[in-house]
């Protein structure tokens, strides 16, 4: 077997200066090798960023010298000045769409730092046909854009001749009031011990809502204003039904929990709820997906998700002590709705976990990231995407389909709905009953299968000729 030498590891290391979250860093991309990871952990202030798959090190002369000593073949370059953080300028145009003016920011694919900066601006939207990011043309957005790119913008219009329609800029006092309202929401959610995911979602939605009414005092925000804002987002941005529901939930939380308004006076029209069936993979397709990963850790993650019917959040929160081999079960701590439960630990899954534990030896979390913390959500999703592609399964499949498939396959094998409900962690049996529809369909036979139909094919004149 060909083994990588130390020189080959160093050749794969890349170090470059970037601007990320309003700070200057060295982005260090290194191979998944214990020796190299041990070296980067010696640098003070370093942190792992899963979504970028890089280590970030604060940009200063001491760290530059330290990195040059640790990785001599990939010595970091000297940091560039603020005006030259990336190659080339960023063109910005002005376009009229749907009766409103928008800033069009034309980022390039080879400028990931520029794309990351645009994503920091609330209200930005990718326009595929224009290959650009659109921002509502307002003084706040324009100034935010200029601040983020610091002289790198190449304006394709004259701001003096094209003043923004939103010339009324919120005063510092008004902005401070709205920031205080958002902080009050965060404090209330923390005190109620709501999940981090819900807190992040609500705050992001309310930040958009509050920014739209920045010149209105927070305590004077009305239900009718929220209704008009929803109409605007539906007509202009074509928001989804799910996004609309989340925005309503966030607004009602602010009215009820922060402003203390009575719930009976807070009615907002919700979209009609459709009756959607869960997406399910066949047992053959599931087998191909579970066999696809060559990496033991990756295969173990997918096998546990299917064999125990877990959600994405539940599999990355599994601890080593949650695997109870003697009782042949998994303990799910703080699942959806902060509910604990037990679920199945299949014999084959237990053997695979034992093999995984012996090889990887995780300390606390069953699946750990490079820094020893929880394994990233995005990393698990990428593992599943690669497995689906390699297995030739349904390309639209998501990791949650494995959970649906687990429940459906149990029902098909005659397991009672009550048992399936407990394993899935459903509050209501009605939620579990949806799997019976798919299970029953799979056992039905079409009356066509009882007919004796001969092979037929069309002739040149469009007539049908029977073939015996």
């Amino acid at each position: 077997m060909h083994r990588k030498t130390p020189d080959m590891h160093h050749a794969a290391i890349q170090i470059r200066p970037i601007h990320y979250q309003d700070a200057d860093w060295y982005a260090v991309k290194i191979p998944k090798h214990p020796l190299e990871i041990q070296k980067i952990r010696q640098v003070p202030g370093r942190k792992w960023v899963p979504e970028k798959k890089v280590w970030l090190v604060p940009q200063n002369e001491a760290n530059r010298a330290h990195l040059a000593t640790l990785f001599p073949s990939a010595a970091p370059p000297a940091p560039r000045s603020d005006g030259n953080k990336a190659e080339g300028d960023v063109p910005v145009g002005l376009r009229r769409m749907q009766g409103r003016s928008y800033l069009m920011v034309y980022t390039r694919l080879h400028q990931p730092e520029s794309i990351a900066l645009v994503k920091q601006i609330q209200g930005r939207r990718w326009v595929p046909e224009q290959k650009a990011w659109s921002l509502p043309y307002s003084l706040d957005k324009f100034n935010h854009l200029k601040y983020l790119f610091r002289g790198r913008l190449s304006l394709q219009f004259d701001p003096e001749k094209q003043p923004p329609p939103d010339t009324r800029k919120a005063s510092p006092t008004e902005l401070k009031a709205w920031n205080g309202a958002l902080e009050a929401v965060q404090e209330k959610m923390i005190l109620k011990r709501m999940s981090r995911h819900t807190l992040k979602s609500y705050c992001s939605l309310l930040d958009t809502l509050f920014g739209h009414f920045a010149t209105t005092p927070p305590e004077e925000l009305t239900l009718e204003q929220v209704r008009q804002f929803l109409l605007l987002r539906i007509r202009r941005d074509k928001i989804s039904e799910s996004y609309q529901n989340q925005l309503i939930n966030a607004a009602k939380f602010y009215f009820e929990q922060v402003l203390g308004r009575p719930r009976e006076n807070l009615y907002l029209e919700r979209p009609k709820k459709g009756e959607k069936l869960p997406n399910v993979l066949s047992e053959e397709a599931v087998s191909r997906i579970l066999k696809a990963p060559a990496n033991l850790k990756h295969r173990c993650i997918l096998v546990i998700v299917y064999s125990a019917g877990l959600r994405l959040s539940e599999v990355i929160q599994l601890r080593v002590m949650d695997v109870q081999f003697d009782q042949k079960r998994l303990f799910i701590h703080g699942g959806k709705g902060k509910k604990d439960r037990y679920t199945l630990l299949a014999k084959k899954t237990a053997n695979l976990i034992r093999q995984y534990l012996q090889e990887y030896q995780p300390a606390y979390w069953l699946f750990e990231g490079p820094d020893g913390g929880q394994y990233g959500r995005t990393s698990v999703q990428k593992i599943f995407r690669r497995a689906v592609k390699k297995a030739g399964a349904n390309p639209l499949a998501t990791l949650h389909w494995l959970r649906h498939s687990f429940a459906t396959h149990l029902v098909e094998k005659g397991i009672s709905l009550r048992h399936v409900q407990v394993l899935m962690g459903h509050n209501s049996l009605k939620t579990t009953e949806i799997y019976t529809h798919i299970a029953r369909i799979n056992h039905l036979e079409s009356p066509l299968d009882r007919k004796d139909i001969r092979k037929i094919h069309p002739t040149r004149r469009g007539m049908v000729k029977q073939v015996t």
Side-chain angles (χ1 to χ4, degrees):
M1 181 184 293
H2 179 69
R3 297 183 179 273
K4 293 185 178 180
T5 65
D7 292 338
M8 293 175 65
H9 286 303
H10 281 295
I13 297 172
Q14 300 176 8
I15 304 178
R16 58 190 176 89
I18 68 169
H19 189 77
Y20 177 70
Q21 293 184 347
D22 296 333
D24 295 322
W25 308 82
Y26 283 117
V28 185
K29 188 173 184 179
I30 61 178
K32 294 181 179 178
H33 191 272
L35 294 178
E36 310 299 350
I37 295 175
Q38 189 64 29
K39 287 181 181 180
I40 192 65
R41 285 178 174 170
Q42 300 175 18
V43 182
R46 84 282 180 266
K47 69 175 183 177
W48 171 253
V49 183
E51 60 269 18
K52 289 183 172 292
K53 293 186 177 180
V54 297
W55 292 87
L56 293 185
V57 176
Q59 248 189 59
N60 56 54
E61 186 58 32
N63 284 340
R64 190 183 74 83
H66 198 173
L67 289 172
T69 304
L70 293 173
F71 310 109
S73 62
R80 302 176 179 177
S81 61
D82 281 350
N84 298 290
K85 288 190 183 297
E87 299 179 2
D89 293 333
V90 179
V92 178
L94 190 65
R95 183 179 177 85
R96 191 80 176 171
M97 296 186 297
Q98 298 177 353
R100 188 174 181 182
S101 296
Y102 289 86
L103 293 167
M104 307 300 293
V105 185
Y106 299 90
T107 55
R108 299 176 177 86
L109 292 177
H110 67 275
Q111 294 178 321
E113 294 87 359
S114 299
I115 297 174
L117 289 175
V118 175
K119 287 184 176 180
Q120 295 180 26
I121 305 177
Q122 293 290 340
R124 88 281 185 223
R125 187 166 60 94
W126 175 249
V127 184
E129 57 270 17
Q130 298 294 327
K131 294 184 178 180
W133 297 90
S134 70
L135 302 169
Y137 188 21
S138 66
L139 286 176
D140 287 344
K141 292 290 189 293
F142 190 44
N143 290 335
H144 194 183
L145 194 65
K146 289 194 296 183
Y147 168 75
L148 289 175
F149 286 90
R150 295 181 179 86
R152 287 179 47 217
L153 298 181
S154 176
L155 299 182
Q156 300 177 351
F157 65 99
D158 187 351
E160 298 297 330
K161 296 181 180 179
Q162 304 254 2
D166 181 16
T167 56
R168 166 71 165 93
K169 185 177 179 180
S171 66
T173 303
E174 291 170 330
L175 290 177
K176 185 177 180 180
W178 279 113
N179 288 335
L182 196 59
E183 289 177 2
V185 172
Q186 292 176 343
E187 291 175 359
K188 182 68 72 172
M189 295 183 74
I190 292 172
L191 288 172
K192 292 177 72 68
R193 297 298 184 94
M194 299 178 72
S195 71
R196 183 179 60 86
H197 181 75
T198 305
L199 189 149
K200 184 178 178 180
S201 175
Y202 275 26
C203 289
S204 176
L205 292 164
L206 289 175
D207 189 40
T208 305
L209 176 66
F210 292 170
H212 187 79
F213 298 105
T215 57
T216 302
E219 64 277 3
E220 295 181 9
L221 184 67
T222 65
L223 205 64
E224 183 57 33
Q225 286 177 307
V226 177
R227 185 177 285 108
Q228 293 302 319
F229 178 72
L230 285 168
L231 282 172
L232 174 67
R233 296 301 305 276
I234 293 171
R235 290 171 176 169
R236 188 189 69 196
D237 301 329
K238 307 296 187 295
I239 61 174
S240 65
E241 295 177 357
S242 174
Y243 188 94
Q244 180 183 348
N245 268 322
Q246 290 177 344
L247 188 53
I248 292 173
N249 292 338
K252 292 185 72 173
F253 183 89
Y254 171 66
F255 285 135
E256 293 176 19
Q257 303 296 331
V258 178
L259 297 183
R261 297 182 185 175
R263 178 179 297 184
E264 56 270 15
N265 297 337
L266 301 175
Y267 174 74
L268 288 167
E269 295 82 356
R270 292 183 181 271
K272 184 179 179 181
K273 188 176 181 180
E275 295 182 3
K276 296 182 179 179
L277 292 174
N279 295 293
V280 175
L281 295 162
S282 66
E283 294 192 45
E284 181 185 354
V286 171
S287 297
R288 295 201 308 270
I289 291 173
L290 300 185
K291 293 177 183 177
N295 182 281
L296 174 62
K297 183 177 185 178
H298 297 173
R299 179 179 295 180
C300 195
I301 291 173
L302 297 186
V303 167
I304 289 179
V305 169
Y306 170 71
S307 65
L310 301 188
R311 301 177 178 92
L312 172 57
S313 60
E314 293 170 348
V315 71
I316 63 175
Q317 290 175 3
L318 277 176
R319 302 164 297 183
V320 175
M321 62 181 179
D322 292 334
V323 184
Q324 301 178 1
F325 293 104
D326 295 340
Q327 289 84 4
K328 298 180 181 180
R329 65 190 184 188
L330 286 175
F331 177 62
I332 309 303
H333 173 70
K336 187 175 181 181
K338 294 188 176 181
K339 293 180 297 184
D340 296 345
R341 75 177 192 276
Y342 288 104
T343 187
L344 298 176
L345 176 60
K347 184 178 179 180
K348 292 182 179 179
T349 306
N351 294 336
L352 192 64
I353 293 176
R354 285 192 180 98
Q355 184 182 351
Y356 161 77
L357 291 175
Q358 183 177 2
E359 182 170 338
Y360 284 83
Q361 298 182 355
Y364 181 77
W365 302 107
L366 184 59
F367 301 109
E368 295 179 341
D371 60 348
Q374 280 186 5
Y375 207 61
R377 298 173 63 94
T378 305
S379 299
V380 176
Q381 290 168 336
K382 288 181 179 179
I383 290 170
F384 180 76
R385 296 303 320 148
R386 289 194 294 266
V388 167
K389 185 176 181 180
K390 186 175 179 180
N394 190 331
L396 300 179
T398 66
L399 186 74
H400 206 67
W401 286 29
L402 291 181
R403 174 174 159 86
H404 290 320
S405 302
F406 163 79
T408 304
H409 297 162
L410 285 179
V411 174
E412 287 178 341
K413 288 176 171 53
I415 306 299
S416 70
L417 284 180
R418 176 57 185 160
H419 284 104
V420 177
Q421 178 192 0
V422 172
L423 295 174
M424 296 290 284
H426 291 158
N427 279 330
S428 172
L429 192 62
K430 290 184 178 180
T431 307
T432 315
E433 286 176 351
I434 195 170
Y435 297 107
T436 60
H437 177 83
I438 303 173
R440 288 169 181 168
I441 288 292
N442 292 344
H443 291 290
L444 294 178
E445 182 184 19
S446 170
L448 180 64
D449 292 333
R450 302 177 184 178
K451 307 291 183 184
D452 181 18
I453 55 174
R454 291 177 288 180
K455 297 180 181 179
I456 57 177
H457 68 85
T459 63
R460 291 183 180 179
R461 295 183 180 181
M463 302 296 290
V464 175
K465 180 180 179 181
Q466 294 184 347
V467 180
T468 58

mmCIF file of all heavy atoms in Angstrom, residues 345-366:
data_model
loop_
_atom_site.group_PDB
_atom_site.id
_atom_site.type_symbol
_atom_site.label_atom_id
_atom_site.label_comp_id
_atom_site.label_asym_id
_atom_site.label_seq_id
_atom_site.Cartn_x
_atom_site.Cartn_y
_atom_site.Cartn_z
ATOM 1 N N LEU A 345 -31.361 -0.654 19.262
ATOM 2 C CA LEU A 345 -29.950 -0.820 18.914
ATOM 3 C C LEU A 345 -29.833 -2.195 18.268
ATOM 4 O O LEU A 345 -29.766 -3.226 18.938
ATOM 5 C CB LEU A 345 -29.062 -0.721 20.146
ATOM 6 C CG LEU A 345 -27.560 -0.967 19.913
ATOM 7 C CD1 LEU A 345 -27.000 0.052 18.934
ATOM 8 C CD2 LEU A 345 -26.788 -0.944 21.213
ATOM 9 N N ALA A 346 -29.844 -2.197 16.943
ATOM 10 C CA ALA A 346 -29.810 -3.460 16.211
ATOM 11 C C ALA A 346 -28.481 -4.185 16.456
ATOM 12 O O ALA A 346 -27.463 -3.567 16.762
ATOM 13 C CB ALA A 346 -30.004 -3.201 14.716
ATOM 14 N N LYS A 347 -28.492 -5.491 16.311
ATOM 15 C CA LYS A 347 -27.297 -6.296 16.557
ATOM 16 C C LYS A 347 -26.173 -5.887 15.609
ATOM 17 O O LYS A 347 -25.012 -5.727 16.027
ATOM 18 C CB LYS A 347 -27.633 -7.783 16.386
ATOM 19 C CG LYS A 347 -26.475 -8.710 16.704
ATOM 20 C CD LYS A 347 -26.906 -10.161 16.570
ATOM 21 C CE LYS A 347 -25.725 -11.098 16.877
ATOM 22 N NZ LYS A 347 -26.120 -12.529 16.763
ATOM 23 N N LYS A 348 -26.493 -5.715 14.334
ATOM 24 C CA LYS A 348 -25.472 -5.314 13.361
ATOM 25 C C LYS A 348 -24.950 -3.917 13.653
ATOM 26 O O LYS A 348 -23.765 -3.639 13.482
ATOM 27 C CB LYS A 348 -26.044 -5.390 11.943
ATOM 28 C CG LYS A 348 -26.338 -6.804 11.469
ATOM 29 C CD LYS A 348 -26.845 -6.800 10.039
ATOM 30 C CE LYS A 348 -27.117 -8.239 9.562
ATOM 31 N NZ LYS A 348 -27.638 -8.247 8.167
ATOM 32 N N THR A 349 -25.858 -3.037 14.114
ATOM 33 C CA THR A 349 -25.435 -1.677 14.472
ATOM 34 C C THR A 349 -24.485 -1.717 15.660
ATOM 35 O O THR A 349 -23.479 -1.008 15.698
ATOM 36 C CB THR A 349 -26.658 -0.813 14.812
ATOM 37 O OG1 THR A 349 -27.589 -0.851 13.730
ATOM 38 C CG2 THR A 349 -26.244 0.630 15.058
ATOM 39 N N ALA A 350 -24.796 -2.553 16.653
ATOM 40 C CA ALA A 350 -23.944 -2.664 17.837
ATOM 41 C C ALA A 350 -22.545 -3.146 17.459
ATOM 42 O O ALA A 350 -21.541 -2.624 17.960
ATOM 43 C CB ALA A 350 -24.581 -3.613 18.849
ATOM 44 N N ASN A 351 -22.457 -4.132 16.566
ATOM 45 C CA ASN A 351 -21.143 -4.626 16.127
ATOM 46 C C ASN A 351 -20.353 -3.536 15.413
ATOM 47 O O ASN A 351 -19.140 -3.398 15.602
ATOM 48 C CB ASN A 351 -21.324 -5.838 15.212
ATOM 49 C CG ASN A 351 -21.918 -7.032 15.937
ATOM 50 O OD1 ASN A 351 -21.790 -7.148 17.161
ATOM 51 N ND2 ASN A 351 -22.574 -7.913 15.206
ATOM 52 N N LEU A 352 -21.051 -2.756 14.589
ATOM 53 C CA LEU A 352 -20.387 -1.673 13.858
ATOM 54 C C LEU A 352 -19.904 -0.579 14.820
ATOM 55 O O LEU A 352 -18.799 -0.039 14.664
ATOM 56 C CB LEU A 352 -21.356 -1.085 12.827
ATOM 57 C CG LEU A 352 -20.750 -0.131 11.784
ATOM 58 C CD1 LEU A 352 -19.748 -0.872 10.912
ATOM 59 C CD2 LEU A 352 -21.850 0.469 10.916
ATOM 60 N N ILE A 353 -20.717 -0.257 15.825
ATOM 61 C CA ILE A 353 -20.329 0.766 16.802
ATOM 62 C C ILE A 353 -19.112 0.297 17.608
ATOM 63 O O ILE A 353 -18.200 1.092 17.883
ATOM 64 C CB ILE A 353 -21.506 1.100 17.735
ATOM 65 C CG1 ILE A 353 -22.636 1.785 16.952
ATOM 66 C CG2 ILE A 353 -21.055 2.007 18.878
ATOM 67 C CD1 ILE A 353 -23.877 2.076 17.773
ATOM 68 N N ARG A 354 -19.081 -0.970 17.991
ATOM 69 C CA ARG A 354 -17.927 -1.498 18.734
ATOM 70 C C ARG A 354 -16.643 -1.349 17.909
ATOM 71 O O ARG A 354 -15.595 -0.950 18.426
ATOM 72 C CB ARG A 354 -18.154 -2.969 19.081
ATOM 73 C CG ARG A 354 -19.139 -3.203 20.220
ATOM 74 C CD ARG A 354 -19.070 -4.644 20.695
ATOM 75 N NE ARG A 354 -20.006 -4.883 21.794
ATOM 76 C CZ ARG A 354 -21.212 -5.418 21.639
ATOM 77 N NH1 ARG A 354 -21.647 -5.734 20.415
ATOM 78 N NH2 ARG A 354 -22.003 -5.605 22.679
ATOM 79 N N GLN A 355 -16.730 -1.665 16.632
ATOM 80 C CA GLN A 355 -15.580 -1.534 15.748
ATOM 81 C C GLN A 355 -15.159 -0.069 15.635
ATOM 82 O O GLN A 355 -13.967 0.255 15.668
ATOM 83 C CB GLN A 355 -15.930 -2.101 14.371
ATOM 84 C CG GLN A 355 -14.772 -2.096 13.385
ATOM 85 C CD GLN A 355 -15.204 -2.622 12.014
ATOM 86 O OE1 GLN A 355 -16.317 -3.149 11.851
ATOM 87 N NE2 GLN A 355 -14.331 -2.482 11.037
ATOM 88 N N TYR A 356 -16.166 0.807 15.529
ATOM 89 C CA TYR A 356 -15.883 2.244 15.420
ATOM 90 C C TYR A 356 -15.237 2.779 16.701
ATOM 91 O O TYR A 356 -14.257 3.537 16.651
ATOM 92 C CB TYR A 356 -17.187 2.998 15.124
ATOM 93 C CG TYR A 356 -17.134 4.469 15.424
ATOM 94 C CD1 TYR A 356 -16.482 5.361 14.574
ATOM 95 C CD2 TYR A 356 -17.735 4.993 16.578
ATOM 96 C CE1 TYR A 356 -16.424 6.712 14.865
ATOM 97 C CE2 TYR A 356 -17.678 6.328 16.875
ATOM 98 C CZ TYR A 356 -17.025 7.190 16.013
ATOM 99 O OH TYR A 356 -16.958 8.523 16.305
ATOM 100 N N LEU A 357 -15.760 2.384 17.857
ATOM 101 C CA LEU A 357 -15.212 2.863 19.132
ATOM 102 C C LEU A 357 -13.768 2.416 19.324
ATOM 103 O O LEU A 357 -12.930 3.164 19.844
ATOM 104 C CB LEU A 357 -16.068 2.361 20.296
ATOM 105 C CG LEU A 357 -17.477 2.941 20.423
ATOM 106 C CD1 LEU A 357 -18.250 2.249 21.543
ATOM 107 C CD2 LEU A 357 -17.423 4.452 20.678
ATOM 108 N N GLN A 358 -13.473 1.210 18.890
ATOM 109 C CA GLN A 358 -12.123 0.696 19.046
ATOM 110 C C GLN A 358 -11.138 1.461 18.166
ATOM 111 O O GLN A 358 -9.994 1.705 18.568
ATOM 112 C CB GLN A 358 -12.090 -0.798 18.682
ATOM 113 C CG GLN A 358 -10.736 -1.453 18.891
ATOM 114 C CD GLN A 358 -10.774 -2.944 18.584
ATOM 115 O OE1 GLN A 358 -11.812 -3.475 18.184
ATOM 116 N NE2 GLN A 358 -9.653 -3.620 18.778
ATOM 117 N N GLU A 359 -11.583 1.873 16.985
ATOM 118 C CA GLU A 359 -10.674 2.561 16.051
ATOM 119 C C GLU A 359 -10.556 4.049 16.339
ATOM 120 O O GLU A 359 -9.465 4.613 16.312
ATOM 121 C CB GLU A 359 -11.150 2.343 14.615
ATOM 122 C CG GLU A 359 -10.240 2.992 13.586
ATOM 123 C CD GLU A 359 -10.576 2.561 12.163
ATOM 124 O OE1 GLU A 359 -11.191 1.478 12.003
ATOM 125 O OE2 GLU A 359 -10.233 3.306 11.234
ATOM 126 N N TYR A 360 -11.683 4.725 16.631
ATOM 127 C CA TYR A 360 -11.662 6.189 16.779
ATOM 128 C C TYR A 360 -11.524 6.641 18.232
ATOM 129 O O TYR A 360 -11.041 7.735 18.492
ATOM 130 C CB TYR A 360 -12.932 6.787 16.162
ATOM 131 C CG TYR A 360 -12.899 6.833 14.660
ATOM 132 C CD1 TYR A 360 -13.242 5.713 13.902
ATOM 133 C CD2 TYR A 360 -12.525 7.991 13.979
ATOM 134 C CE1 TYR A 360 -13.218 5.740 12.522
ATOM 135 C CE2 TYR A 360 -12.492 8.037 12.590
ATOM 136 C CZ TYR A 360 -12.841 6.908 11.876
ATOM 137 O OH TYR A 360 -12.813 6.949 10.509
ATOM 138 N N GLN A 361 -12.011 5.837 19.175
ATOM 139 C CA GLN A 361 -11.916 6.135 20.603
ATOM 140 C C GLN A 361 -12.382 7.565 20.948
ATOM 141 O O GLN A 361 -11.610 8.386 21.451
ATOM 142 C CB GLN A 361 -10.472 5.941 21.086
ATOM 143 C CG GLN A 361 -9.978 4.513 20.942
ATOM 144 C CD GLN A 361 -8.565 4.328 21.459
ATOM 145 O OE1 GLN A 361 -7.903 5.289 21.843
ATOM 146 N NE2 GLN A 361 -8.109 3.091 21.475
ATOM 147 N N PRO A 362 -13.648 7.905 20.653
ATOM 148 C CA PRO A 362 -14.170 9.235 21.011
ATOM 149 C C PRO A 362 -14.213 9.417 22.521
ATOM 150 O O PRO A 362 -14.420 8.452 23.270
ATOM 151 C CB PRO A 362 -15.573 9.241 20.402
ATOM 152 C CG PRO A 362 -15.958 7.799 20.301
ATOM 153 C CD PRO A 362 -14.695 7.046 20.045
ATOM 154 N N ALA A 363 -14.030 10.668 22.975
ATOM 155 C CA ALA A 363 -13.957 10.943 24.411
ATOM 156 C C ALA A 363 -15.335 11.100 25.042
ATOM 157 O O ALA A 363 -15.646 10.466 26.047
ATOM 158 C CB ALA A 363 -13.122 12.198 24.648
ATOM 159 N N TYR A 364 -16.177 11.945 24.445
ATOM 160 C CA TYR A 364 -17.489 12.236 25.048
ATOM 161 C C TYR A 364 -18.606 12.031 24.034
ATOM 162 O O TYR A 364 -19.469 11.185 24.214
ATOM 163 C CB TYR A 364 -17.509 13.663 25.596
ATOM 164 C CG TYR A 364 -18.817 14.034 26.266
ATOM 165 C CD1 TYR A 364 -19.117 13.577 27.545
ATOM 166 C CD2 TYR A 364 -19.765 14.824 25.608
ATOM 167 C CE1 TYR A 364 -20.326 13.901 28.157
ATOM 168 C CE2 TYR A 364 -20.966 15.162 26.210
ATOM 169 C CZ TYR A 364 -21.241 14.703 27.479
ATOM 170 O OH TYR A 364 -22.432 15.023 28.081
ATOM 171 N N TRP A 365 -18.581 12.819 22.960
ATOM 172 C CA TRP A 365 -19.595 12.650 21.913
ATOM 173 C C TRP A 365 -19.270 11.400 21.116
ATOM 174 O O TRP A 365 -18.105 11.094 20.848
ATOM 175 C CB TRP A 365 -19.631 13.862 20.990
ATOM 176 C CG TRP A 365 -19.917 15.155 21.688
ATOM 177 C CD1 TRP A 365 -19.051 16.166 21.946
ATOM 178 C CD2 TRP A 365 -21.180 15.575 22.242
ATOM 179 N NE1 TRP A 365 -19.669 17.185 22.620
ATOM 180 C CE2 TRP A 365 -20.988 16.845 22.813
ATOM 181 C CE3 TRP A 365 -22.441 14.992 22.306
ATOM 182 C CZ2 TRP A 365 -22.007 17.551 23.442
ATOM 183 C CZ3 TRP A 365 -23.469 15.694 22.933
ATOM 184 C CH2 TRP A 365 -23.247 16.949 23.483
ATOM 185 N N LEU A 366 -20.308 10.671 20.716
ATOM 186 C CA LEU A 366 -20.090 9.458 19.939
ATOM 187 C C LEU A 366 -19.399 9.788 18.623
ATOM 188 O O LEU A 366 -18.494 9.077 18.185
ATOM 189 C CB LEU A 366 -21.436 8.747 19.693
ATOM 190 C CG LEU A 366 -21.359 7.405 18.962
ATOM 191 C CD1 LEU A 366 -20.485 6.413 19.729
ATOM 192 C CD2 LEU A 366 -22.749 6.829 18.735
#
